[in-house]
């Protein structure tokens, strides 16, 4: 199959799941795709401000905030901003409970609540070793709101905000959704933008939040360090990101040489 577009999750997929770095072999594989005229898209839970290293690889299209904000160059392809009144209500309730919140705009901010569990979760999901700025203003558009809380605490939010969806994607983090946001919905918008079909797409991921992305694409690749559920949904399981699973798969599938 000749693919015209490739979607890559970032943390744990493009980056080494242990070091958070992108290997020289993976960088070369991305450049090889670009040289063949294949559009390369980063599909990530990160905000756009944390994608600068990827831009240096020549990547121009970004699905960020787990699908809440999509941009090609300076063109906004898709965005799903939360209602400002909803954000304000959740912010106030979280403050009363001393729960951490993160806000995904084009940038990344938090509400100032800090503890070791939150910091550990930030390191595991965004490779952050310290807290980001906490200067979020309620006037900013929020494309993804994340709550740092255990299962019992989230039950309180579900009772308080029955109109919202709370979708867990990490043992200590849930997405707080006003409207449905996912990588697959964002991918559909990207495919429409470029005039491609799902069968012309290949996708790589490592987490449960990548399952819908791999299922939508014509061919889905799970990293060796991926979750078992993701591997079951994939068409191919490659080596781990530490073992350069991306270039291995692209060569195995004869997409690059």
């Amino acid at each position: 199959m000749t693919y015209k577009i490739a979607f890559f999750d970032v943390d744990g997929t493009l980056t080494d799941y242990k070091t958070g770095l992108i290997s020289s072999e993976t960088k070369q594989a991305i450049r090889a795709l670009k040289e063949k005229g294949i559009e390369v898209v980063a599909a990530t839970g990160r905000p756009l401000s944390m994608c600068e290293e990827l831009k240096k690889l020549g990547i121009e299209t970004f699905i960020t905030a787990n699908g809440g904000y999509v941009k090609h160059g300076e063109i906004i392809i898709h965005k799903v901003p939360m209602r400002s009144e909803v954000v304000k209500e959740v912010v106030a309730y979280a403050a009363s409970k001393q729960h951490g919140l993160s806000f995904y705009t084009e940038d990344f901010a938090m509400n100032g609540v800090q503890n070791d569990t939150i910091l550990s979760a930030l390191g595991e999901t965004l490779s952050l070793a310290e807290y980001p700025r906490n200067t979020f203003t309620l006037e900013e558009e929020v494309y993804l709101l994340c709550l740092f809380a255990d299962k019992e605490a989230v039950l309180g939010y579900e009772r308080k905000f029955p109109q919202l969806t709370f979708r867990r994607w990490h043992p200590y983090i849930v997405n707080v959704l006003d409207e449905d946001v996912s990588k697959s919905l964002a991918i559909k918008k990207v495919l429409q933008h470029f005039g491609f079909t799902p069968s012309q797409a290949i996708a790589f991921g490592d987490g449960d939040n990548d399952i819908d992305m791999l299922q939508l694409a014509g061919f889905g690749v799970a990293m060796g360090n991926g979750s078992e559920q993701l591997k079951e949904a994939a068409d191919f399981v490659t080596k781990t990101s530490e073992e350069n699973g991306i270039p291995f798969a692209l060569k195995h599938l004869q997409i690059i040489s």
Side-chain angles (χ1 to χ4, degrees):
M1 178 68 188
T2 300
Y3 298 103
K4 293 187 175 181
I5 189 165
F7 295 90
F8 294 94
D9 170 61
V10 177
D11 294 285
T13 301
L14 280 172
T15 68
D16 185 320
Y17 73 101
K18 290 185 177 179
T19 67
L21 302 175
I22 303 176
S23 71
S24 58
E25 292 86 353
T26 297
K27 290 178 179 178
Q28 182 53 45
I30 297 302
R31 294 190 181 101
L33 288 175
K34 296 284 291 181
E35 289 169 3
K36 293 193 69 171
I38 297 173
E39 186 66 34
V40 176
V41 181
T44 178
R46 294 185 183 192
L48 189 60
S49 63
M50 292 178 62
C51 295
E52 291 303 312
E53 183 180 9
L54 303 172
K55 291 181 181 179
K56 293 177 183 178
L57 295 179
I59 298 176
E60 300 176 284
T61 307
F62 294 89
I63 294 172
T64 66
N66 266 339
Y69 188 68
V70 185
K71 203 169 185 182
H72 171 69
E74 295 304 314
I75 301 170
I76 298 173
I77 295 175
H78 175 63
K79 66 176 182 177
V80 188
M82 295 184 69
R83 288 176 293 163
S84 60
E85 61 269 24
V86 170
V87 175
K88 291 175 183 177
E89 290 173 2
V90 175
V91 166
Y93 186 71
S96 72
K97 300 295 183 180
Q98 277 298 291
H99 291 149
L101 289 174
S102 60
F103 309 91
Y104 291 68
T105 59
E106 278 206 4
D107 206 343
F108 182 69
M110 294 193 70
N111 66 345
V113 175
Q114 300 182 2
N115 60 52
D116 290 344
T117 310
I118 292 174
L119 188 59
S120 176
L122 288 172
E124 292 168 6
T125 58
L126 293 173
S127 301
L128 290 176
E130 57 187 29
Y131 295 97
R133 67 184 180 92
N134 60 352
T135 55
F136 171 76
T137 63
L138 291 170
E139 288 70 38
E140 295 180 74
E141 280 192 338
V142 176
Y143 308 116
L144 182 64
L145 180 62
C146 287
L147 167 67
F148 292 76
D150 59 26
K151 185 176 180 179
E152 183 177 351
V154 172
L155 290 175
Y157 285 82
E158 291 175 335
R159 289 191 291 268
K160 177 73 173 177
F161 305 101
Q163 79 278 23
L164 301 180
T165 299
F166 296 85
R167 186 177 298 159
R168 185 167 297 281
W169 59 279
H170 176 274
Y172 200 65
I173 309 174
V174 295
N175 289 346
V176 182
L177 302 175
D178 190 14
E179 294 183 45
D180 195 18
V181 171
S182 69
K183 289 185 179 181
S184 62
L185 289 172
I187 284 175
K188 290 177 182 178
K189 298 293 184 180
V190 172
L191 293 174
Q192 290 171 9
H193 178 79
F194 288 107
F196 298 148
T197 64
S199 64
Q200 294 172 313
I202 184 170
F204 291 73
D206 76 313
D208 286 351
N209 63 327
D210 297 319
I211 292 174
D212 63 326
M213 177 173 74
L214 266 61
Q215 290 176 330
L216 176 63
F219 197 89
V221 180
M223 304 302 293
N225 51 283
S227 70
E228 290 307 312
Q229 192 174 354
L230 180 76
K231 290 176 181 178
E232 291 176 5
D235 298 297
F236 179 72
V237 178
T238 187
K239 295 182 178 181
T240 68
S241 53
E242 182 187 27
E243 300 169 313
N244 293 310
I246 287 175
F248 174 82
L250 291 172
K251 291 175 182 177
H252 176 80
L253 297 170
Q254 299 183 334
I255 298 172
I256 64 173
S257 56

